[in-house]
């Protein structure tokens, strides 16, 4: 989940009642969030693998896609164009492949994963779900 969609108070209550943890005085800034490698779709992990092999951190591809004068959000069009500009061939469907999904469908599914609110753009905060997987 994107950071802005987390309900810290609810999670804190669950930790107290189900985990029997002492959460008195715990603030969100003290919590380290992470995502397990089995949670994201396979193509999200493929994208992350592509970035890891070419970049030092997850912010660099965001900046490459958003552009130098970017607005801090990536649209689907920018995402597709950015991956093309990077010469990312990870999602190209080989001729005769039986995968059943086109490149466009695969890239769109990755974008939808990164845009859980469905606003049509991926903020840097939403993008940072990839940083949780990077670590």
């Amino acid at each position: 989940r994107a950071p802005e969609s987390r309900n810290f108070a609810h999670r804190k209550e669950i930790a107290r009642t189900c985990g029997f943890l002492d959460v008195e005085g715990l603030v969100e800034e003290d919590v380290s969030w992470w995502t397990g490698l089995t949670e994201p779709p396979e193509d999200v992990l493929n994208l992350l693998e592509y970035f890891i092999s070419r970049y030092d951190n997850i912010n660099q591809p965001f900046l490459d896609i958003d552009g130098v004068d970017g607005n801090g959000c990536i649209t689907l069009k920018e995402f597709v164009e950015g991956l093309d500009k990077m010469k990312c061939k990870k999602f190209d469907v080989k001729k005769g492949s039986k995968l059943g999904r086109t490149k466009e469908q695969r890239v769109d599914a990755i974008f939808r994963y990164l845009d859980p609110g469905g606003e049509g753009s991926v903020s840097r905060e939403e993008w940072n779900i990839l940083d949780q997987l990077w670590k």
Side-chain angles (χ1 to χ4, degrees):
R1 293 199 153 243
E4 64 272 6
S5 65
R6 292 185 194 126
N7 184 336
F8 177 70
H10 180 68
R11 290 181 183 216
K12 185 175 170 180
E13 182 61 18
I14 290 172
R16 186 185 67 73
T17 57
C18 298
F20 305 103
L21 300 173
D22 179 14
V23 293
E24 190 68 35
L26 182 67
V27 293
E28 190 166 4
E29 291 75 30
D30 293 336
V31 176
S32 295
W33 301 99
W34 71 87
T35 302
L37 288 177
T38 59
E39 294 175 28
E42 183 179 354
D43 279 337
V44 171
L45 295 177
N46 287 334
L47 178 66
L48 186 65
E49 179 183 89
Y50 180 82
F51 289 157
I52 286 172
S53 70
R54 288 162 177 78
Y55 293 95
D56 293 328
N57 63 62
I58 200 62
N59 291 320
Q60 290 174 309
F62 183 91
L63 292 173
D64 282 354
I65 294 170
D66 193 32
V68 178
D69 296 324
N71 63 355
C73 289
I74 297 172
T75 63
L76 177 59
K77 183 176 188 283
E78 289 173 322
F79 187 60
V80 170
E81 290 172 354
L83 292 179
D84 286 345
K85 189 176 177 184
M86 291 175 189
K87 298 181 178 24
C88 177
K89 305 288 185 206
K90 273 265 196 218
F91 309 105
D92 290 359
V93 178
K94 311 288 187 269
K95 197 169 194 168
S97 173
K98 306 261 190 271
L99 284 178
R101 294 188 314 152
T102 66
K103 174 183 179 179
E104 292 77 18
Q105 290 169 324
R106 294 175 72 191
V107 171
D108 183 70
I110 295 167
F111 185 84
R112 300 292 163 225
Y113 176 81
L114 296 172
D115 178 28
E119 303 90 13
S121 63
V122 176
S123 67
R124 184 182 296 272
E125 200 168 50
E126 290 171 323
W127 182 266
N128 281 338
I129 190 77
L130 295 174
D131 192 46
Q132 293 177 19
L133 297 167
W134 187 290
K135 295 178 181 178

